[in-house]
Each structure stands twice: as structure tokens, then as C-alpha cells.
Amino acid sequence: LLMNNVSSKPRKSWRRSERGQSLLMLMMLILLVIVPLLSIITFEVARLYLAKQELQSASDAAVLAGTATLASSDNVDPLQAHKDAIEAAIKIFKANTVLGQALSRTTQVVSLSNLSADLDEARVFFEFINPVTGAVEPMSSPNGKVVRVSSSTTRTLAFAKYVGINTMNVNAVSTGAVPKLDMVICFDVSGSMDDQTPVTFVKRK
């Protein structure tokens, strides 16, 4: 029996490139993890900026109301005049909204250290400044003509809570003052109608 010896050639082994697999996994990681995470961060940063703008607008409106009330007050008691200014400012502040939620839960605090607000509430702090020296005056001082309002509020986040960030806090500071006014008042003291009537002149500022 004759047997034919057939020489066989080894087959080639086709293997996929490991570089291609690594690139595919990297692309999947970017599409499934990094891109959604960046989208969430961008969205929340935009909401944070919007919240800060709205809180700043509310603070500006409040400080304007307080300044106008203080400037038009005819109360001889500086303490009561400052209290009236604060009341008017808080009333206007509460009428505003941040991210669609009213600022009705607003509390006045007595120091900046207590300004950080709890969730869904706002806090305001008032200071009255001497326009000449720039120093903060007590409420009982008649020299406190410049009103400064510091405000803070905390709101929930839309999507960042899924990555462990539940709330955000925003702050704003507004300052308001009546502009300086130069006034010249002229009195007719010629006495052309009656030269004999005694008169008294008082120089007032």
C-alpha cells in the first residue's frame, strides 16, 4: 500500500488589532459617559448663571426701593427711617422670582455670616454707609445714606443630583444712593414793598 505524503501549509491566523479595540472602547466611553456628563455640567452652569442674574435683579430693585424710601422720608428719627427703608426693600425683593420660584420665603439676617440660605429660601442683609467716609453706620445714625443689600438663595439642581450635587447657592450685592445735588436758592430780600417791617433771615442747609 502506497501512501502519499501530502505536505500541508500552516493556515494564517487572522487576529484583530488591539489598537482598534481600544479606540472603539474609548469612543464608547466618551459617548456614554463623558458627553452626558459634560452636557449636565453645561446645563447646570447655565441655570446657575441665570439664577445669579435673577437674584441680582431682585437685589437691585430692593436697594432702589430702600434708597427712595430713605431719601423721601420726613421722619426725624433715623432709626425708624432706616427701618422703613428696609421694609420697603424686602417687600419689593419678595415680589421677584429666581428660576421660576418666588422669593416669598425671605428672611432678614443681622450679619453676613448668617447669609447662606437654606433650600428654597432667601436671606438678605442690609447695611447703611456714610457717603463721605465710606464707613458702615449703625441704623440709629443719620449719616447712613447709602443702602447696601447682600442677598443669598439656594435652589435644587435639575440633573446634577444624579452625580451627587443636589443644591446650589447664589449670592448678589447691590448698592444704592441718592445722587449728589447742587442747589442754589434765591430769595428776594429787597424789601421793595415795605422798608419798615422787621424781618429775620435764617441760613439753612
Side-chain angles (χ1 to χ4, degrees), residues 4-5 34 53 68 77 83 113 125 133 151 162 170 177-178 197:
N4 295 327
N5 293 326
I34 298 179
Q53 281 187 319
D77 183 9
K83 287 182 178 180
S113 59
F125 174 66
T133 64
S151 59
Y162 298 112
V170 291
V178 176
T197 302

Side-chain angles (χ1 to χ4, degrees), residues 15 45 68 71 74 94 99 124 128 131 137 146 150-151 165 171 175 180 184 188 193:
R15 299 180 59 186
V45 168
D74 55 358
K94 288 182 177 181
L99 297 181
V124 290
F128 295 93
E137 299 282 349
V146 178
S150 302
S151 59
I165 306 174
N171 300 279
T175 304
K180 295 181 179 180
V184 177
D188 182 7
M193 298 299 295

Side-chain angles (χ1 to χ4, degrees), residues 73 112 122:
S73 176
L112 283 174

Side-chain angles (χ1 to χ4, degrees), residues 44-150:
E44 297 296 359
V45 168
R47 290 187 77 234
L48 179 64
Y49 182 72
L50 176 61
K52 185 172 181 61
Q53 281 187 319
E54 292 179 339
L55 183 64
Q56 186 67 55
S57 298
S59 300
D60 291 344
V63 81
L64 287 176
T67 302
T69 302
L70 184 62
S72 60
S73 176
D74 55 358
N75 198 319
V76 296
D77 183 9
L79 179 61
Q80 187 59 46
H82 287 147
K83 287 182 178 180
D84 294 340
I86 291 175
E87 183 179 354
I90 291 179
K91 182 178 179 180
I92 296 299
F93 186 84
K94 288 182 177 181
N96 288 269
T97 61
V98 173
L99 297 181
Q101 186 171 354
L103 295 170
S104 55
R105 295 181 56 192
T106 299
T107 305
Q108 180 188 353
V109 296
V110 296
S111 66
L112 283 174
S113 59
N114 299 325
L115 189 63
S116 182
D118 295 331
L119 180 62
D120 295 334
E121 76 164 11
R123 295 182 182 180
V124 290
F125 174 66
F126 290 88
E127 293 175 295
F128 295 93
I129 304 170
N130 190 318
V132 179
T133 64
V136 178
E137 299 282 349
M139 290 183 59
S140 57
S141 172
N143 297 323
K145 300 297 185 182
V146 178
V147 184
R148 182 162 63 197
V149 178
S150 302

Side-chain angles (χ1 to χ4, degrees), residues 185-203:
I185 302 177
C186 299
F187 294 95
D188 182 7
V189 294
S190 62
S192 60
M193 298 299 295
D194 185 2
D195 295 336
Q196 303 301 320
T197 302
V199 296
T200 301
F201 301 103
V202 180
K203 185 178 180 180

